[in-house]
Amino acid sequence: MGDNRVPCVVVLDGGDGESGEVLGLAFVTRASSPPPVDRSRDGGATAETSTTTTTTTPGWFRVEESFRPRSDHEDGLLGFRIGNSPSKLKAAVRRCLRFRRRASGSLQLKDIVPLLFLDDSPVLQEQAARALVQLSSEEEQQCKVLEHNRALEGLVKLLFKSDSPNLQIHAALSLGNLALAQDDEEQQLWFLRYPQALAGLVNLLFEDGRAGAHERSREITVQVHQEAAMALGNIASTTEGGAMIMANAYALEGLIRLLFMHQRRGSQEAATRVLVHLAMVEDNVQRLLEFPISIVGALSGLLLDHSRPALQDNVCKALSCLSSTPEHGQMVVRCVHFPRTLERLIRLLVQFNASAILPLSNLAINEEIQASIAHHPNVLEAALTFRFNRTDNVAMFLGNLSLAKANRSKLVECPGFLPAMVDMLFNDSDPDGQEQAAWTLSNLSRAQPENLPVIMNIADWPGIVGGLIHVLTRDESPGAQEQVSRVLANLSYAPENDAIIARFPDAWTCLVPLLSKTENTCMLKEVTRALSNLTSIDGLSQLNVTSKCVSSLANVILEYSSPGYRCSGMESVILEQTALALGNLTLDKSNKWKVGANEDAVAALLGLLLRFEYPSVQEKAAWALVNLYQDEDIATVPTKLPQVIPILRILLSMEETLTFRP
């Protein structure tokens, strides 16, 4: 190296004398006059001053000659002349790395990573770890870090340096950032190749119990726990990462342990986030609930921390995931800490915290607590306030409460409940909420004698029947259509509601097309039940029953009554309700001819007479045929069905023994 070349750390001045962009180490050549600027040259940027020309190549260079350190600040070029003293080199590097820079990419990864392994130079090691934190936080750099052969190895190594908590913190930060890499799925799952990373992060959860931990400040220990938990949260956001954490008993112990450490506020929030990710996988829930340290008890204590709504939100999400199935909900209810947890969730709801809606919705499926929730002061009124932004959750909560007989009158009589149901039914922007609202009404309107007052109150409320029929028109929501069919069948169970439903002839035009969906037996059962009730309405001719209705009912019978076809229990109920609907139509003179003129309908009813394994179905079919063909109407029998006449004569002679519809 000639005497006229000086090694410098080059920084592009940020303009304020304090900040800049690190370009790297370079050799400054003294020149008597500045040469022209060549911007096309390879090898880096070219900067020009009145006395110095610098070609910079980002990276670390070996300093072979000794120069007195001094700094120059000339025309946007900030150069630090350094000699071969390691301390001077470190000081210059530290000063450069502290600059606020716009492009960390100018720091070369291939030169930073080796510094992670310099255990005899902790200052350089820490500065390299800091640089890697910034690189790993930038999306365009994450893949480069993951592709480097030793970057992950170096970071994992730092996790176990208990004597250097700052290095542990920086390593956990970098690994947490890398767990969010999105460009490549294989790279995103880097922790599968480095299981030591997970072990190291779990190890940090227990750092306060290690030898020498007393020498640390509490703030440092808290930060170690927090960064480790946050990194585990990012790893747990993938199914594979969650499976690795679940397989590590110490990981679960450490995370649940953090929930009890109220002085570690950030750690608690990070730990609840990990547990939410884990509990979202149904296969993990039972093990979480059976863990020796009660997760329900740990979460329950955090519900009291009203100063941290984000933490309460995470706790409520975790509890809702833990109770998302009836079986797991039962496990939560049987937990010794559950009474306290339930009381705190209800208190949150009454204080208008919407986060409590979902866990309470899941828990309300349990019969033991349905009544106690509904009878808590103001809980229903509080839930209804959230119906505009959390419609489906509110409707599910109310629907689960409506499963209990003791709650039905209380719900219907609650001010604002039925108006809320009307709002939900007409809210096309929330189809899930519409289905849940219809399901709630179907629970409340159970077709039972003791439930008649509730049924009549529901049908009589303005907008309820209109809203139900509105949902029936939405073909894209078959689940909602099934629930609405059940509600209409329940409401028409009370004869007092006939006049109300008769005001909506659209009930026919919406229900009849659903008869063609024979593959959905649950829906078909409710549709035929609704039609069997509605066809008994007085003044049926006003509803304009079309021939399409008769042919659709006939097709349902033909679908399930072919020779040799063995019906299920539900299908036999469908046949019975369909025959009953056709029989009801024959009672109205204006519609009787539509049945008699439809050969498929007559053939279908005749076929049911031969199904001796279903006596109740036979009775309804016989009753329909007797109504259709009295003696004076025998001549109207279709000529293509001569076999009907002798069977009808036999049936007519047995008329008094037939069991008619109650």
Side-chain angles (χ1 to χ4, degrees):
M1 182 184 296
D3 291 340
N4 62 339
R5 302 181 67 204
V6 182
C8 296
V9 177
V10 181
V11 179
L12 187 62
D13 186 17
D16 55 7
E18 296 182 357
S19 63
E21 178 183 347
V22 176
L23 299 179
L25 288 181
F27 296 99
V28 177
T29 304
R30 293 284 180 182
S32 57
S33 61
V37 178
D38 180 7
R39 299 189 181 278
S40 64
R41 290 180 56 183
D42 294 331
T46 301
E48 180 182 349
T49 74
S50 59
T51 59
T52 308
T53 300
T54 306
T55 300
T56 66
T57 303
W60 306 110
F61 289 77
R62 181 183 178 190
V63 180
E64 298 179 350
E65 297 189 30
S66 176
F67 292 92
R68 179 174 60 84
R70 73 179 186 85
S71 71
D72 296 322
H73 185 191
E74 300 172 353
D75 299 334
L77 181 68
L78 187 63
F80 295 99
R81 295 176 57 188
I82 52 180
N84 59 3
S85 166
S87 62
K88 294 171 183 175
L89 173 62
K90 294 171 189 175
V93 170
R94 282 202 306 274
R95 182 171 178 183
C96 289
L97 289 178
R98 280 199 298 267
F99 279 103
R100 299 188 301 274
R101 50 195 178 272
R102 292 176 291 121
S104 61
S106 59
L107 297 173
Q108 292 296 294
L109 190 64
K110 64 183 178 61
D111 300 305
I112 294 175
V113 171
L115 300 181
L116 298 176
F117 297 87
L118 296 181
D119 292 336
D120 57 343
S121 300
V123 175
L124 277 179
Q125 198 173 37
E126 182 171 338
Q127 294 301 339
R130 287 181 182 273
L132 209 53
V133 169
Q134 182 161 341
L135 287 172
S136 64
S137 67
E138 300 176 7
E139 290 185 17
E140 64 273 14
Q141 299 295 333
Q142 288 173 337
C143 286
K144 294 180 182 178
V145 176
L146 291 171
E147 289 170 355
H148 193 283
N149 290 335
R150 303 193 68 196
L152 290 173
E153 181 184 344
L155 289 172
V156 171
K157 177 180 181 294
L158 298 184
L159 290 177
F160 292 93
K161 288 186 68 66
S162 298
D163 57 333
S164 301
N166 284 332
L167 290 178
Q168 293 177 311
I169 290 170
H170 298 327
L173 273 168
S174 295
L175 293 171
N177 290 338
L178 294 174
L180 297 175
Q182 300 293 328
D183 289 346
D184 185 279
E185 184 177 354
E186 183 177 348
Q187 290 181 344
Q188 185 184 13
L189 302 179
W190 56 265
F191 43 80
L192 297 179
R193 306 192 311 272
Y194 285 86
Q196 309 94 320
L198 183 67
L201 291 170
V202 171
N203 186 66
L204 296 188
L205 299 179
F206 298 91
E207 274 299 319
D208 55 333
R210 307 295 180 197
H214 62 281
E215 299 175 1
R216 301 181 175 187
S217 67
R218 190 178 72 86
E219 291 75 13
I220 286 292
T221 302
V222 168
Q223 191 174 356
V224 168
H225 285 164
Q226 180 174 333
E227 300 304 340
M230 290 182 69
L232 288 171
N234 293 345
I235 291 175
S237 63
T238 64
T239 303
E240 296 83 355
M244 289 182 68
I245 293 174
M246 286 298 299
N248 190 318
Y250 289 109
L252 296 181
E253 179 184 345
L255 290 167
I256 297 176
R257 176 174 170 268
L258 287 180
L259 300 183
F260 291 98
M261 296 183 177
H262 296 288
Q263 72 276 22
R264 287 154 171 69
R265 296 167 67 87
S267 301
Q268 287 180 318
E269 294 176 16
T272 55
R273 179 169 161 262
V274 181
L275 293 171
V276 168
H277 286 308
L278 297 179
M280 289 175 67
V281 180
E282 188 176 334
D283 291 344
N284 296 341
V285 173
Q286 183 153 343
R287 186 179 171 199
L288 288 171
L289 290 172
E290 292 176 346
F291 202 74
I293 305 175
S294 173
I295 188 172
V296 175
L299 293 171
S300 178
L302 299 179
L303 289 173
L304 293 175
D305 194 341
H306 303 295
S307 64
R308 291 188 286 170
L311 174 67
Q312 288 182 325
D313 186 54
N314 275 346
V315 172
C316 289
K317 286 179 181 176
L319 288 171
S320 65
C321 291
L322 292 172
S323 58
S324 59
T325 66
E327 297 76 16
H328 294 146
Q330 282 285 356
M331 293 180 68
V332 174
V333 170
R334 289 196 299 267
C335 175
V336 66
H337 303 283
F338 177 72
R340 183 176 64 199
T341 306
L342 179 62
E343 183 66 27
R344 291 172 182 176
L345 284 171
I346 292 175
R347 191 183 309 168
L348 274 185
L349 180 61
V350 173
Q351 292 170 348
F352 302 104
N353 188 323
S355 300
I357 282 286
L358 191 54
L360 283 173
S361 298
N362 292 342
L363 292 169
I365 198 72
N366 295 276
E367 294 181 9
E368 307 129 57
I369 63 172
Q370 286 166 353
S372 62
I373 293 176
H375 285 77
H376 194 284
N378 303 320
V379 72
L380 298 179
E381 291 82 355
L384 289 172
T385 61
F386 300 114
R387 71 179 186 270
F388 296 109
N389 58 351
R390 305 222 173 176
T391 305
D392 53 339
N393 290 348
V394 172
M396 182 170 67
F397 174 55
L398 298 173
N400 286 339
L401 292 180
S402 67
L403 292 171
K405 292 181 180 180
N407 290 342
R408 291 171 189 165
S409 296
K410 185 175 183 63
L411 284 167
V412 172
E413 294 169 3
C414 174
F417 174 78
L418 289 176
M421 292 295 104
V422 174
D423 290 341
M424 294 177 188
L425 291 174
F426 282 103
N427 186 4
D428 292 342
S429 63
D430 188 2
D432 290 337
Q434 287 177 317
E435 181 174 349
Q436 291 291 349
W439 177 66
T440 300
L441 290 171
S442 73
N443 291 339
L444 290 171
S445 60
R446 294 291 177 91
Q448 298 163 342
E450 66 274 15
N451 202 38
L452 280 174
V454 172
I455 294 174
M456 294 171 63
N457 284 338
I458 293 173
D460 194 46
W461 189 265
I464 288 288
V465 177
L468 292 168
I469 294 174
H470 171 74
V471 176
L472 271 185
T473 64
R474 296 179 59 77
D475 290 334
E476 66 273 22
S477 302
Q481 289 178 320
E482 178 184 333
Q483 296 300 334
V484 169
S485 301
R486 182 177 291 113
V487 180
L488 290 175
N490 290 342
L491 295 182
S492 59
Y493 172 78
E496 295 85 350
N497 291 333
D498 289 355
I500 297 173
I501 300 175
R503 293 200 297 265
F504 295 90
D506 287 346
W508 289 103
T509 57
C510 295
L511 284 170
V512 169
L514 301 182
L515 291 172
S516 63
K517 300 183 178 182
T518 53
E519 72 285 354
N520 187 343
T521 53
C522 291
M523 175 185 286
L524 204 57
K525 174 189 173 184
E526 302 306 331
V527 173
T528 54
R529 190 165 69 92
L531 289 173
S532 69
N533 287 341
L534 293 173
T535 50
S536 65
I537 293 177
D538 292 336
L540 190 62
S541 58
Q542 298 176 7
L543 295 180
N544 189 24
V545 178
T546 63
S547 298
K548 175 67 174 175
C549 176
V550 175
S551 60
S552 297
L553 290 168
N555 288 336
V556 170
I557 296 176
L558 294 173
E559 176 75 20
Y560 298 122
S561 62
S562 57
Y565 182 78
R566 186 72 180 177
C567 294
S568 65
M570 185 176 294
E571 289 170 345
S572 67
V573 172
I574 292 171
L575 289 176
E576 182 177 349
Q577 297 298 329
T578 306
L580 185 56
L582 287 171
N584 286 338
L585 289 176
T586 62
L587 295 175
D588 186 274
K589 291 184 178 180
S590 63
N591 292 309
K592 184 174 185 177
W593 69 270
K594 296 177 183 177
V595 179
N598 190 304
E599 294 187 12
D600 286 340
V602 177
L605 291 170
L606 181 63
L608 292 182
L609 295 179
L610 304 178
R611 301 304 298 261
F612 297 102
E613 70 273 28
Y614 306 119
S616 63
V617 174
Q618 279 185 308
E619 289 179 358
K620 300 301 185 299
W623 177 69
L625 288 169
V626 167
N627 290 340
L628 181 62
Y629 297 117
Q630 297 296 333
D631 283 337
E632 64 271 18
D633 296 326
I634 289 292
T636 63
V637 174
T639 56
K640 293 183 179 180
L641 297 171
Q643 67 271 34
V644 173
I645 296 176
I647 295 178
L648 285 178
R649 293 194 183 280
I650 296 173
L651 290 173
L652 286 172
S653 67
M654 300 170 57
E655 183 173 346
E656 293 182 358
T657 65
L658 292 175
T659 303
F660 297 126
R661 179 175 180 268

PDB file of all heavy atoms in Angstrom, residues 108-124:
ATOM      1  N   GLN A 108     -22.579  -5.364   4.102  1.00  0.00           N
ATOM      2  CA  GLN A 108     -22.518  -6.658   3.438  1.00  0.00           C
ATOM      3  C   GLN A 108     -22.697  -7.805   4.427  1.00  0.00           C
ATOM      4  O   GLN A 108     -21.956  -7.919   5.425  1.00  0.00           O
ATOM      5  CB  GLN A 108     -21.187  -6.799   2.705  1.00  0.00           C
ATOM      6  CG  GLN A 108     -21.056  -5.854   1.520  1.00  0.00           C
ATOM      7  CD  GLN A 108     -22.082  -6.151   0.453  1.00  0.00           C
ATOM      8  OE1 GLN A 108     -22.055  -7.197  -0.178  1.00  0.00           O
ATOM      9  NE2 GLN A 108     -23.000  -5.219   0.263  1.00  0.00           N
ATOM     10  N   LEU A 109     -23.669  -8.672   4.158  1.00  0.00           N
ATOM     11  CA  LEU A 109     -23.990  -9.782   5.032  1.00  0.00           C
ATOM     12  C   LEU A 109     -22.803 -10.726   5.188  1.00  0.00           C
ATOM     13  O   LEU A 109     -22.530 -11.234   6.273  1.00  0.00           O
ATOM     14  CB  LEU A 109     -25.205 -10.517   4.464  1.00  0.00           C
ATOM     15  CG  LEU A 109     -25.844 -11.581   5.347  1.00  0.00           C
ATOM     16  CD1 LEU A 109     -26.417 -10.951   6.604  1.00  0.00           C
ATOM     17  CD2 LEU A 109     -26.949 -12.302   4.584  1.00  0.00           C
ATOM     18  N   LYS A 110     -22.085 -10.923   4.101  1.00  0.00           N
ATOM     19  CA  LYS A 110     -20.963 -11.868   4.142  1.00  0.00           C
ATOM     20  C   LYS A 110     -19.851 -11.402   5.081  1.00  0.00           C
ATOM     21  O   LYS A 110     -19.048 -12.212   5.551  1.00  0.00           O
ATOM     22  CB  LYS A 110     -20.393 -12.069   2.736  1.00  0.00           C
ATOM     23  CG  LYS A 110     -19.784 -10.829   2.117  1.00  0.00           C
ATOM     24  CD  LYS A 110     -19.301 -11.102   0.697  1.00  0.00           C
ATOM     25  CE  LYS A 110     -18.735  -9.854   0.042  1.00  0.00           C
ATOM     26  NZ  LYS A 110     -17.565  -9.315   0.769  1.00  0.00           N
ATOM     27  N   ASP A 111     -19.825 -10.094   5.367  1.00  0.00           N
ATOM     28  CA  ASP A 111     -18.814  -9.571   6.283  1.00  0.00           C
ATOM     29  C   ASP A 111     -19.337  -9.426   7.701  1.00  0.00           C
ATOM     30  O   ASP A 111     -18.561  -9.417   8.650  1.00  0.00           O
ATOM     31  CB  ASP A 111     -18.322  -8.205   5.782  1.00  0.00           C
ATOM     32  CG  ASP A 111     -17.702  -8.295   4.403  1.00  0.00           C
ATOM     33  OD1 ASP A 111     -16.772  -9.104   4.243  1.00  0.00           O
ATOM     34  OD2 ASP A 111     -18.169  -7.589   3.493  1.00  0.00           O
ATOM     35  N   ILE A 112     -20.684  -9.319   7.838  1.00  0.00           N
ATOM     36  CA  ILE A 112     -21.267  -9.176   9.175  1.00  0.00           C
ATOM     37  C   ILE A 112     -21.327 -10.512   9.890  1.00  0.00           C
ATOM     38  O   ILE A 112     -20.985 -10.621  11.072  1.00  0.00           O
ATOM     39  CB  ILE A 112     -22.680  -8.567   9.072  1.00  0.00           C
ATOM     40  CG1 ILE A 112     -22.597  -7.141   8.554  1.00  0.00           C
ATOM     41  CG2 ILE A 112     -23.386  -8.591  10.414  1.00  0.00           C
ATOM     42  CD1 ILE A 112     -23.947  -6.521   8.301  1.00  0.00           C
ATOM     43  N   VAL A 113     -21.764 -11.575   9.174  1.00  0.00           N
ATOM     44  CA  VAL A 113     -22.008 -12.868   9.819  1.00  0.00           C
ATOM     45  C   VAL A 113     -20.781 -13.409  10.541  1.00  0.00           C
ATOM     46  O   VAL A 113     -20.891 -13.900  11.678  1.00  0.00           O
ATOM     47  CB  VAL A 113     -22.554 -13.883   8.796  1.00  0.00           C
ATOM     48  CG1 VAL A 113     -22.599 -15.282   9.396  1.00  0.00           C
ATOM     49  CG2 VAL A 113     -23.944 -13.464   8.337  1.00  0.00           C
ATOM     50  N   PRO A 114     -19.561 -13.351   9.966  1.00  0.00           N
ATOM     51  CA  PRO A 114     -18.404 -13.889  10.701  1.00  0.00           C
ATOM     52  C   PRO A 114     -18.192 -13.223  12.056  1.00  0.00           C
ATOM     53  O   PRO A 114     -17.676 -13.849  12.989  1.00  0.00           O
ATOM     54  CB  PRO A 114     -17.232 -13.606   9.759  1.00  0.00           C
ATOM     55  CG  PRO A 114     -17.845 -13.562   8.404  1.00  0.00           C
ATOM     56  CD  PRO A 114     -19.191 -12.946   8.602  1.00  0.00           C
ATOM     57  N   LEU A 115     -18.621 -11.942  12.180  1.00  0.00           N
ATOM     58  CA  LEU A 115     -18.427 -11.253  13.447  1.00  0.00           C
ATOM     59  C   LEU A 115     -19.281 -11.845  14.557  1.00  0.00           C
ATOM     60  O   LEU A 115     -18.993 -11.659  15.735  1.00  0.00           O
ATOM     61  CB  LEU A 115     -18.753  -9.770  13.288  1.00  0.00           C
ATOM     62  CG  LEU A 115     -17.920  -8.999  12.253  1.00  0.00           C
ATOM     63  CD1 LEU A 115     -18.344  -7.554  12.221  1.00  0.00           C
ATOM     64  CD2 LEU A 115     -16.433  -9.115  12.574  1.00  0.00           C
ATOM     65  N   LEU A 116     -20.382 -12.559  14.193  1.00  0.00           N
ATOM     66  CA  LEU A 116     -21.233 -13.180  15.214  1.00  0.00           C
ATOM     67  C   LEU A 116     -20.480 -14.232  16.013  1.00  0.00           C
ATOM     68  O   LEU A 116     -20.874 -14.573  17.131  1.00  0.00           O
ATOM     69  CB  LEU A 116     -22.466 -13.818  14.564  1.00  0.00           C
ATOM     70  CG  LEU A 116     -23.423 -12.894  13.810  1.00  0.00           C
ATOM     71  CD1 LEU A 116     -24.526 -13.716  13.153  1.00  0.00           C
ATOM     72  CD2 LEU A 116     -24.030 -11.866  14.750  1.00  0.00           C
ATOM     73  N   PHE A 117     -19.389 -14.761  15.455  1.00  0.00           N
ATOM     74  CA  PHE A 117     -18.648 -15.853  16.094  1.00  0.00           C
ATOM     75  C   PHE A 117     -17.404 -15.359  16.830  1.00  0.00           C
ATOM     76  O   PHE A 117     -16.643 -16.159  17.352  1.00  0.00           O
ATOM     77  CB  PHE A 117     -18.239 -16.884  15.037  1.00  0.00           C
ATOM     78  CG  PHE A 117     -19.409 -17.545  14.353  1.00  0.00           C
ATOM     79  CD1 PHE A 117     -19.989 -16.971  13.237  1.00  0.00           C
ATOM     80  CD2 PHE A 117     -19.945 -18.720  14.845  1.00  0.00           C
ATOM     81  CE1 PHE A 117     -21.072 -17.557  12.606  1.00  0.00           C
ATOM     82  CE2 PHE A 117     -21.029 -19.320  14.226  1.00  0.00           C
ATOM     83  CZ  PHE A 117     -21.600 -18.736  13.114  1.00  0.00           C
ATOM     84  N   LEU A 118     -17.182 -14.027  16.896  1.00  0.00           N
ATOM     85  CA  LEU A 118     -15.997 -13.477  17.552  1.00  0.00           C
ATOM     86  C   LEU A 118     -16.246 -13.338  19.048  1.00  0.00           C
ATOM     87  O   LEU A 118     -16.484 -12.241  19.560  1.00  0.00           O
ATOM     88  CB  LEU A 118     -15.641 -12.121  16.939  1.00  0.00           C
ATOM     89  CG  LEU A 118     -15.221 -12.123  15.468  1.00  0.00           C
ATOM     90  CD1 LEU A 118     -14.874 -10.721  15.017  1.00  0.00           C
ATOM     91  CD2 LEU A 118     -14.047 -13.064  15.250  1.00  0.00           C
ATOM     92  N   ASP A 119     -16.188 -14.440  19.765  1.00  0.00           N
ATOM     93  CA  ASP A 119     -16.447 -14.402  21.206  1.00  0.00           C
ATOM     94  C   ASP A 119     -15.408 -13.581  21.954  1.00  0.00           C
ATOM     95  O   ASP A 119     -15.685 -13.075  23.049  1.00  0.00           O
ATOM     96  CB  ASP A 119     -16.479 -15.823  21.779  1.00  0.00           C
ATOM     97  CG  ASP A 119     -17.692 -16.604  21.280  1.00  0.00           C
ATOM     98  OD1 ASP A 119     -18.689 -15.956  20.905  1.00  0.00           O
ATOM     99  OD2 ASP A 119     -17.647 -17.844  21.267  1.00  0.00           O
ATOM    100  N   ASP A 120     -14.208 -13.443  21.378  1.00  0.00           N
ATOM    101  CA  ASP A 120     -13.174 -12.662  22.050  1.00  0.00           C
ATOM    102  C   ASP A 120     -13.294 -11.171  21.739  1.00  0.00           C
ATOM    103  O   ASP A 120     -12.505 -10.372  22.235  1.00  0.00           O
ATOM    104  CB  ASP A 120     -11.781 -13.167  21.648  1.00  0.00           C
ATOM    105  CG  ASP A 120     -11.581 -13.130  20.137  1.00  0.00           C
ATOM    106  OD1 ASP A 120     -12.601 -13.026  19.411  1.00  0.00           O
ATOM    107  OD2 ASP A 120     -10.428 -13.214  19.688  1.00  0.00           O
ATOM    108  N   SER A 121     -14.266 -10.798  20.909  1.00  0.00           N
ATOM    109  CA  SER A 121     -14.502  -9.384  20.602  1.00  0.00           C
ATOM    110  C   SER A 121     -15.985  -9.087  20.803  1.00  0.00           C
ATOM    111  O   SER A 121     -16.743  -8.940  19.834  1.00  0.00           O
ATOM    112  CB  SER A 121     -14.082  -9.066  19.166  1.00  0.00           C
ATOM    113  OG  SER A 121     -12.719  -9.321  18.961  1.00  0.00           O
ATOM    114  N   PRO A 122     -16.462  -9.027  22.050  1.00  0.00           N
ATOM    115  CA  PRO A 122     -17.897  -8.878  22.309  1.00  0.00           C
ATOM    116  C   PRO A 122     -18.499  -7.600  21.741  1.00  0.00           C
ATOM    117  O   PRO A 122     -19.678  -7.579  21.399  1.00  0.00           O
ATOM    118  CB  PRO A 122     -17.983  -8.898  23.838  1.00  0.00           C
ATOM    119  CG  PRO A 122     -16.606  -8.560  24.317  1.00  0.00           C
ATOM    120  CD  PRO A 122     -15.667  -9.096  23.291  1.00  0.00           C
ATOM    121  N   VAL A 123     -17.682  -6.533  21.620  1.00  0.00           N
ATOM    122  CA  VAL A 123     -18.234  -5.285  21.089  1.00  0.00           C
ATOM    123  C   VAL A 123     -18.582  -5.445  19.620  1.00  0.00           C
ATOM    124  O   VAL A 123     -19.682  -5.101  19.166  1.00  0.00           O
ATOM    125  CB  VAL A 123     -17.239  -4.127  21.295  1.00  0.00           C
ATOM    126  CG1 VAL A 123     -17.764  -2.857  20.629  1.00  0.00           C
ATOM    127  CG2 VAL A 123     -17.012  -3.884  22.776  1.00  0.00           C
ATOM    128  N   LEU A 124     -17.622  -5.992  18.843  1.00  0.00           N
ATOM    129  CA  LEU A 124     -17.910  -6.247  17.426  1.00  0.00           C
ATOM    130  C   LEU A 124     -19.046  -7.250  17.265  1.00  0.00           C
ATOM    131  O   LEU A 124     -19.893  -7.123  16.376  1.00  0.00           O
ATOM    132  CB  LEU A 124     -16.650  -6.777  16.736  1.00  0.00           C
ATOM    133  CG  LEU A 124     -15.638  -5.743  16.257  1.00  0.00           C
ATOM    134  CD1 LEU A 124     -14.450  -6.448  15.635  1.00  0.00           C
ATOM    135  CD2 LEU A 124     -16.270  -4.785  15.268  1.00  0.00           C
TER     136      LEU A 124
END
